[in-house]
């Protein structure tokens, strides 16, 4: 049986594995599929913000691979990829044969021989600003979300019943930065001050106008301060306490336990354009959403292997998603440099990876069965963003100029992502969970409204 090894369990990797398992295969042709990821959980990243607002639970958006794959023939390995040794560039074509197309070495010592390889190892935050790596928190993984939530909780406790608000600074005003600013400002309300810094003069520069307008309206209503036209030149720690009084012994001990929560951070801002002055921002917490780098260059290769990578560390592919010069290797998501008809790189989004996984699964099926491979064509279905527990903005591509925002946009976004969850079983469990929460919340709101009406008539 053919062997397919998939490196990375994000949208590209997991959904390719599920696609391969669901296809109809001729007798003896269904491949053995191996999925390798260093985490035990798949993370539905567009819903990470809801962990901070308390709207979802971890199991709903970060189910274990073992649970998702329990009813499939896909074999999951929780391991880290050490090196790959492909041989498909040595006069091999894309037609299935009994000769192995390469070997993957895992850190555990396991060797995985494959006939087809899928590169979907993802990306991580790229931070080059002095001090940012030490003091700023990224927000792209489940572990990042946990750290941010723990830090926010510690700050909320520290400032409880004090007149001084919590200060949170978000660097970057793309989708991730704006969604974080909106979510955190709603969570802190009057107890916090949220600032968002961006080098450009506009937020969400690549978003549909409706999404941008909805975001600006929500941020303005929550008094989120936008510092546009600035880039951060330095992040440093201020060892002085936020207030002038001397801390008690109990507070000093708590400070050590909570990783120096009482120490302020200072950001030095340089103007991106002439005519603007430098600024210094003092804050309790810095969230970094600018820049990412592919993890593909970290994979070791033998001396005879060459992977064509662009400047961002992504593999150059042909229109069927096969890596240039390697007919047995496919690259997806953050690991691939796929371009549209105009030659522009496609964005590193879940929507792109999700669609690529569908094509990659089909093309592997086609290659194994001697059928022609299909060229990948990205269909932009629209863009969605969360703006809080009851706010979102959804701009579908099939109706130009339409934007659903507020509670209606929030509901549409949740339903769209519910349908995108990996398996039918998981969708069903999460759907019932969200329905139950909605019923409880609606009952509580109704009770509050009735209580208020009764008190007004007494």
């Amino acid at each position: 049986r053919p062997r397919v090894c998939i490196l990375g369990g994000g949208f590209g990797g997991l959904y390719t594995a599920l696609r391969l398992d669901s296809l109809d295969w001729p007798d003896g042709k269904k491949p053995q599929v191996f999925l390798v990821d260093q985490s035990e959980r798949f993370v539905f990243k567009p819903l990470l913000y809801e962990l901070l607002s308390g709207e979802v639970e971890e199991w709903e958006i970060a189910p274990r691979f073992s649970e998702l794959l329990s009813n499939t023939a896909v074999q999951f390995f929780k391991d880290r990829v050490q090196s790959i040794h492909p041989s498909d560039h040595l006069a091999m074509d894309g037609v299935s044969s009994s000769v192995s197309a390469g070997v993957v070495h895992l850190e555990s010592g396991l060797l995985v021989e494959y006939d087809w390889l899928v590169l979907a190892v993802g990306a991580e935050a790229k931070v080059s600003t002095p001090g940012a790596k030490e003091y700023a928190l990224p927000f792209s993984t489940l572990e990042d979300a946990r750290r941010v939530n723990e830090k926010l909780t510690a700050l909320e406790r520290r400032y409880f019943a004090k007149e001084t608000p919590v200060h949170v600074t978000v660097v970057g005003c793309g989708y991730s930065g704006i969604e974080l600013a909106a979510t955190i400002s709603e969570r802190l309300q009057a107890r916090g001050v949220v600032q968002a810094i961006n080098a450009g003069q506009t937020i969400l520069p690549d978003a549909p106008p409706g999404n941008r307008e909805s975001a600006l309206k929500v941020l303005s209503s929550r008094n989120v301060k936008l510092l546009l036209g600035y880039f951060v030149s330095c992040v440093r720690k201020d060892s002085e306490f936020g207030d002038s009084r001397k801390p008690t012994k109990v507070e000093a001990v708590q400070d050590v336990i909570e990783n120096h929560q009482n120490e302020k951070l200072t950001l030095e801002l340089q103007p991106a354009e002439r005519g603007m002055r430098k600024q210094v921002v003092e804050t309790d917490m810095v969230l970094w959403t600018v820049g990412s780098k592919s993890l593909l260059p970290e994979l070791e290769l033998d001396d005879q292997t060459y992977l064509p990578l662009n400047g961002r560390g992504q593999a150059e592919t042909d229109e069927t998603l096969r890596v240039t010069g390697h007919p047995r290797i496919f690259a997806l998501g953050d690991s691939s440099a796929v371009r549209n008809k105009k030659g522009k790189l496609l964005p590193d989004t879940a929507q792109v990876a999700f669609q690529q996984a569908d094509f990659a699964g089909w093309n592997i099926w086609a290659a194994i069965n001697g059928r022609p491979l299909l060229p990948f064509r990205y269909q932009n279905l629209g863009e969605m963003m969360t703006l809080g527990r009851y706010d979102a903005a959804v701009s579908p591509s099939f109706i130009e100029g339409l934007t659903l925002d507020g509670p209606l946009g929030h509901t549409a976004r949740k339903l769209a992502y519910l349908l995108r969850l990996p398996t039918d079983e998981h969708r069903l469990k999460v759907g019932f969970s969200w329905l139950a929460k909605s019923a409880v919340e609606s009952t509580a709101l109704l009770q509050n409204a009735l209580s208020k009406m009764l008190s007004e008539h007494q």
Side-chain angles (χ1 to χ4, degrees):
R1 293 169 55 192
R3 292 153 298 178
V4 179
C5 183
I6 301 173
L7 306 183
F11 279 96
L14 174 63
Y15 285 62
T16 298
L18 292 173
R19 174 70 164 149
L20 285 168
D21 189 74
S22 68
L23 289 170
D24 189 18
W25 294 88
D27 291 341
K29 289 287 188 75
K30 185 169 184 176
Q32 293 175 283
V33 180
F34 308 98
L35 179 65
V36 181
D37 196 277
Q38 62 191 31
S39 172
E40 66 177 0
R41 294 178 181 270
F42 163 73
V43 181
F44 199 97
K45 290 187 177 183
L47 291 173
L48 274 178
Y49 310 95
E50 277 79 351
L51 281 179
L52 300 183
S53 65
E55 195 174 344
V56 302
E57 299 173 49
E58 273 195 15
W59 71 267
E60 295 172 340
I61 66 161
R64 287 181 170 83
F65 286 109
S66 57
E67 296 172 4
L68 294 175
L69 300 173
S70 60
N71 294 325
T72 72
V74 178
Q75 297 182 54
F76 172 68
F77 295 102
K78 183 182 179 298
D79 214 328
R80 188 186 295 267
V81 181
Q82 180 175 329
S83 61
I84 59 174
H85 303 272
S87 56
D88 61 339
H89 57 297
L90 304 175
M92 292 182 68
D93 59 19
V95 180
S96 179
S97 70
S98 60
V99 180
S100 169
V103 179
V104 173
H105 290 228
L106 304 181
E107 279 194 354
S108 64
L110 189 67
L111 305 182
V112 181
E113 275 192 291
Y114 66 83
D115 299 298
W116 306 91
L117 181 67
V118 178
L119 302 176
V121 292
E124 65 179 4
K126 179 183 180 182
V127 181
S128 57
T129 300
K133 191 172 184 180
E134 293 79 10
Y135 305 122
L137 297 176
F139 193 83
S140 62
T141 68
L142 180 61
E143 290 71 26
D144 292 340
R146 287 170 177 166
R147 279 192 291 267
V148 171
N149 189 53
E150 288 170 3
K151 177 92 172 179
L152 276 174
T153 303
L155 289 170
E156 287 169 324
R157 289 171 181 165
R158 175 193 163 195
Y159 285 100
F160 182 73
K162 293 184 181 180
E163 294 183 1
T164 309
V166 177
H167 284 77
V168 177
T169 302
V170 180
V171 180
C173 287
Y175 271 115
S176 183
I178 294 302
E179 289 178 296
L180 271 176
T183 301
I184 293 173
S185 63
E186 182 187 54
R187 170 171 167 168
L188 297 176
Q189 297 184 8
R191 297 174 289 114
V193 174
V194 178
Q195 301 176 98
I197 302 168
N198 197 49
Q201 290 290 348
T202 59
I203 68 169
L204 303 170
D206 300 321
N211 279 16
R212 190 181 307 114
E213 292 166 10
S214 297
L216 285 169
K217 182 173 64 176
V218 169
L219 296 179
S220 175
S221 69
R222 296 181 190 157
N223 296 317
V224 175
K225 185 179 180 182
L226 297 176
L227 295 170
L228 304 179
Y230 290 95
F231 64 89
V232 180
S233 61
C234 175
V235 181
R236 66 174 188 271
K237 181 176 283 189
D238 187 348
S239 59
E240 296 181 359
F241 282 83
D243 48 36
S244 58
R245 68 176 178 80
K246 187 176 180 180
T248 65
K249 289 183 179 180
V250 173
E251 288 175 327
V253 171
Q254 186 69 17
D255 179 51
V256 174
I257 293 174
E258 295 182 354
N259 193 25
H260 307 292
Q261 292 291 343
N262 286 329
E263 293 183 342
K264 292 278 189 177
L265 296 172
T266 300
L267 289 80
E268 296 182 5
L269 308 186
Q270 296 288 342
E273 298 178 3
R274 292 181 180 179
M276 300 171 66
R277 294 185 177 182
K278 299 179 183 179
Q279 288 203 43
V280 176
V281 172
E282 192 179 68
T283 188
D284 297 295
M285 180 180 184
V286 179
L287 296 171
W288 201 272
T289 68
V290 180
S292 65
K293 61 179 180 179
S294 169
L295 293 171
L296 204 52
E298 296 185 8
L299 301 184
E300 297 177 17
L301 302 170
D302 55 47
D303 295 336
Q304 298 179 342
T305 302
Y306 168 74
L307 283 181
L309 305 181
N310 65 5
R312 298 167 63 183
Q314 300 167 312
E316 295 285 356
T317 67
D318 63 18
E319 61 179 5
T320 67
L321 303 178
R322 289 190 296 186
V323 175
T324 305
H326 291 274
R328 297 292 194 92
I329 302 179
F330 290 78
L332 313 176
D334 297 308
S335 298
S336 67
V338 180
R339 303 175 187 276
N340 60 20
K341 293 179 181 179
K342 297 180 180 179
K344 185 179 179 181
L345 282 174
L346 293 177
D348 303 329
T349 63
Q351 183 181 174
V352 172
F354 182 86
Q355 292 185 32
Q356 287 177 335
D358 197 40
F359 272 80
W362 174 262
N363 280 344
I364 291 173
W365 181 95
I368 290 174
N369 289 288
R371 304 288 183 84
L373 276 60
L374 296 176
F376 174 68
R377 295 290 182 263
Y378 171 59
Q379 298 291 325
N380 185 1
L381 302 177
E383 298 185 24
M384 304 186 291
M385 64 185 303
T386 182
L387 296 168
R389 285 186 69 95
Y390 307 104
D391 278 295
V394 178
S395 295
S397 62
F398 48 85
I399 305 177
E400 188 174 351
L402 174 66
T403 299
L404 305 176
D405 57 9
L408 182 60
H410 177 267
T411 302
R413 178 178 175 274
K414 288 285 289 286
L415 285 175
Y417 281 145
L418 180 64
L419 295 173
R420 284 287 187 261
L421 291 176
T423 65
D424 291 337
E425 294 84 358
H426 191 62
R427 277 191 290 272
L428 197 61
K429 287 193 290 186
V430 173
F432 276 122
S433 176
W434 288 357
L435 195 62
K437 290 177 189 175
S438 179
V440 170
E441 196 169 272
S442 298
T443 303
L445 289 172
L446 182 60
Q447 288 176 340
N448 289 336
L450 290 172
S451 299
K452 187 176 180 180
M453 288 174 60
L454 291 173
S455 63
E456 288 175 353
H457 286 83
Q458 286 178 354

